[in-house]
Amino acid sequence: MSAGKLPWTSWRHVVKLDPDRAIANHQLEELGRIATDAVLIGGTQGITFEKTADLMRRLRIFAPSLPVWQEISDQSAVMPDADGYGIPVALNAGNTDWLIGKHVEAVEQFGRIIPWERVVTEGYIILNPDAAVAKLTQSAVPQSSEKAVAYATAAEQIFGIRVIYLEYSGKYGDPDWVRAVRQNTNVHLVYGGGIDSAEKAVEMADIADTIVVGNALYEKGMDVVRETVRAVHSLRK
Ligand code: 1GP
């Protein structure tokens, strides 16, 4: 964000919806009733304009009160009517396209029409070497929590990034690593990966500012979302 309060700051529980995966209208309706704080539309593979537009349109119809943000991974699928945009910067990408290359291309092409006041930079640290995003970005996955902290500190202090996303996508992460980053930075800390129960949600939400639930919704259904939202909101922070 260019100025003011980051919308992220009040979000404790976010659901990530992948346009490449099927979700029924009644599930979106249910999602609207469960008090998750926001929906983030994003994914790594198979993202097209058509699939993203369909999901966006149905969210507006069936869950009209939910804030819908889009995490942009492909500039051909940008939704003009999203409430805001997360721009991932893959801090540990081996392929610099995902660190700055694609961002420069997008600015060259769309710079004058990008609503910067609705854009948040997400400094991703990819921590699961088996995740699709690790392969796509050819990530150098940190081998120690000290290295993960160094990435986060460099992002915060050198690059001025205010949101760090610890991405374990598909795998439950190590709370000690998340805690180490928490204790050594003042960023808004987002955790995502493998949250499929109230216990895991509480454990990570107790450390991070925002937790993201993705895969479990598709694998286990809406009960997981309900259970994790309730668990997170029972914590004081
Ligand atoms: C993925 O961090 C999110 O980008 C959530 O991870 O799909 O493992 O829940 P899961």
Side-chain angles (χ1 to χ4, degrees):
M1 300 289 282
S2 51
K5 194 171 183 269
L6 285 161
W8 280 98
T9 52
S10 61
W11 295 352
R12 294 284 285 135
H13 184 287
V14 168
V15 171
K16 193 178 275 193
L17 294 182
D18 185 341
D20 198 35
R21 299 181 82 172
I23 186 160
N25 293 340
H26 72 87
Q27 288 181 297
L28 294 179
E29 220 161 25
E30 218 178 323
L31 193 57
R33 281 195 297 269
I34 299 169
T36 186
D37 297 314
V39 164
L40 197 52
I41 296 182
T44 304
Q45 292 160 315
I47 306 299
T48 65
F49 181 85
E50 289 71 25
K51 288 179 200 167
T52 311
D54 174 64
L55 178 58
M56 186 81 203
R57 182 184 59 79
R58 292 190 299 120
L59 272 165
R60 293 307 195 197
I61 295 171
F62 296 104
S65 59
L66 279 183
V68 179
W69 281 54
Q70 184 180 16
E71 196 165 61
I72 298 176
S73 52
D74 186 330
Q75 51 178 280
S76 69
V78 177
M79 296 293 109
D81 58 334
D83 295 315
Y85 303 91
I87 309 289
V89 168
L91 296 164
N92 56 328
N95 179 341
T96 56
D97 278 357
W98 301 100
L99 183 66
I100 185 77
K102 288 185 178 291
H103 313 70
V104 171
E105 274 171 31
V107 170
E108 277 185 307
Q109 205 173 340
F110 301 112
R112 275 181 299 176
I113 57 165
I114 295 174
W116 293 110
E117 70 287 354
R118 290 189 284 136
V119 168
V120 170
T121 304
E122 302 170 276
Y124 264 71
I125 305 175
I126 297 155
L127 294 168
N128 174 9
D130 299 322
V133 66
K135 294 186 175 137
L136 177 73
T137 59
Q138 297 163 28
S139 288
V141 174
Q143 297 300 308
S144 67
S145 62
E146 290 79 11
K147 185 75 126 187
V149 168
Y151 269 106
T153 304
E156 180 184 23
Q157 301 295 350
I158 300 174
F159 293 97
I161 288 176
R162 295 198 276 162
V163 177
I164 294 285
Y165 192 131
L166 298 181
E167 175 65 294
Y168 279 92
S169 183
K171 173 183 155 187
Y172 189 62
D174 186 333
D176 288 340
W177 285 38
V178 181
R179 196 170 295 108
V181 172
R182 164 77 304 155
Q183 288 170 348
N184 287 283
T185 60
N186 286 308
V187 294
H188 183 89
L189 189 59
V190 180
Y191 169 85
I195 293 183
D196 60 2
S197 68
E199 291 70 29
K200 289 176 185 164
V202 162
E203 185 170 44
M204 287 304 182
D206 205 25
I207 310 168
D209 297 302
T210 303
I211 63 157
V212 181
V213 174
N215 196 45
L217 182 161
Y218 297 98
E219 302 284 322
K220 294 183 155 187
M222 211 54 75
D223 283 351
V224 170
V225 180
R226 193 174 299 104
E227 184 184 319
T228 53
V229 164
R230 199 176 297 141
V232 167
H233 288 159
S234 72
L235 286 173
R236 293 175 70 88
K237 190 132 179 137

